[in-house]
Amino acid sequence: MDKLLIEGGIPLEGSVRISGAKNAALPAMAAALLTSDRVELTNVPHVRDIITMGKLLAHMGAIVETPELPPTSMTIQAEQVNGAEAPYELVRTMRASILTLGPLVARTGSARVSLPGGCAIGARPVDLHLKALEQMGAEIGTSHGYVEARVPGGGRLRGGNVFFDKITVTGTENVLMAAALAEGETTIGNAAQEPEITDLADLLIKMGADIEGAGTSTIRVSGKEQLYGATHRVIPDRIEAGTFLVAGAITNGSLELTYCEPEHLRSIIAKLRDTGVEIRETAPGTLSVRGARKLIAADVRTEEYPGFATDMQAQFMALATQAKGTSVITETIFENRFLHASEMIRMGANISIEGRRAVVHGPTELSGTGVIASDLRASASLVLAGLVAKGETLIDRVYHIDRGYERIEEKLSSVGARIRRVQ
Ligand code: EPZ
């Protein structure tokens, strides 16, 4: 099992290229199931979840070609996907497999997808996905841990009014893809507004879909009989960019981030500026960050986009341990997303958890020790803590971080971090 060994205390200096967004590439790959033509995706990050999704699509009969070197371009052609299913052994390693459900039902009239099950940060149900597909005419059954969906008589899904009781990113993506091939009009109410939704809609429109309102809370889709091949460049990863902004800030260094999209980072940038961090847009797609001589505590509340992203909460907590004063962090999206706090406390942080709130007193000196990663973003926050801690930090279970960060130790080493992968 790989580990990351970090020697802390070195200010990071230099330029980092931000990769394509994992959470945009995953739905884009699933969208290839909607057509028998070739779909080409570029700027796809070379991370474990993408490899897993590629295996899943190949298991379903699609041809998936991925040249080895990042930045990765990928072509997918799903000519024959009848009777396709998403087996548990693949789904359990990547919840986003649920994104194949909507496209498969819309394309073939039936689908069998393993229920993803929970993960460290919460139960992560998919009830809203299933309810929405039922509202579009699918019959949904769950048995032996699988979702079985079928359109009666093998016909097409029919468009309709879908309103999400709760904002769900992949739920919105599943319905958007299903509606693209459904019969008639679909309105999606209380839709997620993340940039990854807009990026998926851009791809679907290139494939011939008729979509309006992506990026707002109401999306209208006029279903088509057929969709076609397309070429699409995946948007930059706003969470990777946010993570490197914190890396520059927490080490009191000076970093330049290239190939990013500042427009997707407004709430993250605003919050980091509140703590005294200097962030400037120095060129299109380029951000520069300089650590503050003195970091000041700030409160943060995670919210759906355009609010402060839950996927940046753990990284912000690492920064808060070095900020002067008390930071109150409220996690409104997931019920159990403070697992990183206990590991930071072992490094010397002063954090107390009260339900959905974490109260961080700083600054505290962190000292390196052995820590265990629990989930993707928690592991990123432990890397950040290790970069500022005195001495060496050994992070176990780094397969979590490999799911969503492309070559993180190479990128960090290239700007001066003392980090290496060990067995
Ligand atoms: C997406 O997960 C992201 N994953 C997550 O990123 C991200 O944290 C999350 O959105 C929130 O922004 C991908 O895009 C692949 P949700 P998703 O459905 O779609 C509840 C990462 O780090 N809910 O928006 O699964 C759910 O339990 C990952 O890259 C239901 O109750 O999140 C949660 O409390 C982690 N029923 C809330 O809604 C449902 O049917 C938001 O979940 C669906 C969701």
Side-chain angles (χ1 to χ4, degrees):
M1 185 111 49
D2 284 2
K3 296 178 172 63
L4 286 177
L5 184 62
I6 303 170
E7 185 188 338
I10 296 133
L12 302 186
E13 312 268 342
S15 180
V16 175
R17 173 178 177 145
I18 298 302
S19 302
K22 156 180 95 78
N23 289 351
L26 290 170
M29 291 172 73
L33 293 169
L34 292 166
T35 178
S36 56
D37 293 351
R38 277 163 72 90
V39 172
E40 177 167 2
L41 302 175
T42 60
N43 199 34
V44 175
H46 199 73
V47 296
R48 277 166 52 102
D49 274 5
I50 297 298
I51 295 164
T52 305
M53 182 62 93
K55 283 183 189 155
L56 177 58
L57 295 177
H59 175 85
M60 293 178 165
I63 299 165
V64 181
E65 288 157 357
T66 318
E68 277 318 301
L69 294 178
T72 308
S73 64
M74 172 185 281
T75 57
I76 301 165
Q77 183 155 12
E79 272 188 293
Q80 292 298 337
V81 283
N82 288 315
E85 68 168 53
Y88 177 65
E89 60 271 13
L90 281 173
V91 173
R92 70 186 170 85
T93 63
M94 186 191 61
R95 311 185 68 275
S97 309
I98 193 69
L99 284 168
T100 58
L101 180 65
L104 278 181
V105 179
R107 169 92 183 276
T108 69
S110 72
R112 188 166 185 273
V113 174
S114 167
L115 279 164
C119 75
I121 63 178
R124 313 281 304 269
V126 291
D127 57 313
L128 300 177
H129 298 235
L130 306 184
K131 185 178 161 201
L133 290 172
E134 280 177 332
Q135 289 170 310
M136 298 175 72
E139 279 178 3
I140 305 268
T142 51
S143 69
H144 307 296
Y146 277 76
V147 174
E148 295 184 350
R150 52 183 291 281
V151 182
R156 286 170 70 192
L157 286 171
R158 62 173 189 279
N161 284 327
V162 170
F163 189 89
F164 282 113
D165 303 345
K166 229 172 150 176
I167 293 173
T168 160
V169 173
T170 49
T172 301
E173 290 165 346
N174 241 333
V175 172
L176 186 56
M177 291 188 280
L181 277 184
E183 193 159 1
E185 308 290 313
T186 298
T187 301
I188 307 174
N190 202 24
Q193 304 179 51
E194 272 68 7
E196 291 76 27
I197 306 280
T198 308
D199 198 45
L200 175 60
D202 290 347
L203 166 60
L204 292 170
I205 290 166
K206 287 178 190 172
M207 293 169 68
D210 180 346
I211 299 170
E212 286 172 10
T216 74
S217 60
T218 303
I219 304 175
R220 284 185 180 70
V221 185
S222 177
K224 298 289 182 189
E225 294 253 329
Q226 191 175 0
L227 294 180
Y228 305 93
T231 296
H232 182 69
R233 179 179 175 79
V234 167
I235 54 172
D237 193 315
R238 60 195 168 98
I239 305 301
E240 185 195 24
T243 305
F244 277 99
L245 287 176
V246 174
I250 203 169
T251 60
N252 201 14
S254 168
L255 281 184
E256 180 189 68
L257 276 52
T258 57
Y259 290 87
C260 64
E261 176 46 81
E263 190 49 40
H264 297 162
L265 282 151
R266 292 290 168 229
S267 56
I268 308 295
I269 292 171
K271 187 52 67 179
L272 292 177
R273 283 176 173 155
D274 286 351
T275 67
V277 177
E278 183 192 318
I279 298 175
R280 286 182 299 117
E281 295 182 42
T282 50
T286 302
L287 282 172
S288 79
V289 57
R290 290 184 67 82
R293 272 162 307 293
K294 202 160 61 68
L295 286 167
I296 307 150
D299 295 345
V300 74
R301 181 186 168 81
T302 64
E303 286 170 349
E304 294 87 357
Y305 193 88
F308 188 95
T310 174
D311 291 350
M312 279 297 301
Q313 179 257 108
Q315 298 90 313
F316 184 81
M317 186 181 287
L319 187 67
T321 69
Q322 303 306 303
K324 182 171 174 42
T326 301
S327 305
V328 177
I329 299 172
T330 308
E331 171 56 59
T332 71
I333 308 292
F334 290 110
E335 65 267 29
N336 189 31
R337 202 168 196 176
F338 287 138
L339 295 171
H340 41 282
S342 51
E343 297 302 287
M344 290 182 197
I345 290 166
R346 293 183 55 246
M347 296 174 75
N350 180 340
I351 305 169
S352 59
I353 306 292
E354 302 146 19
R356 292 282 185 120
R357 282 185 358 150
V359 180
V360 184
H361 297 285
T364 53
E365 181 177 282
L366 301 184
S367 56
T369 182
V371 291
I372 294 182
S374 54
D375 60 270
L376 170 54
R377 305 305 171 180
S379 46
S381 72
L382 295 176
V383 169
L384 295 168
L387 289 173
V388 72
K390 289 268 174 302
E392 287 194 338
T393 300
L394 185 64
I395 303 175
D396 200 351
R397 300 189 191 166
V398 290
Y399 57 84
H400 288 296
I401 208 162
D402 293 335
R403 295 189 48 183
Y405 288 88
E406 187 176 60
R407 309 187 334 276
I408 192 160
E409 72 268 25
E410 288 173 35
K411 290 192 179 185
L412 285 170
S413 303
S414 72
V415 289
R418 290 212 192 107
I419 178 172
R420 61 193 170 88
R421 191 175 286 258
V422 296
Q423 295 303 325

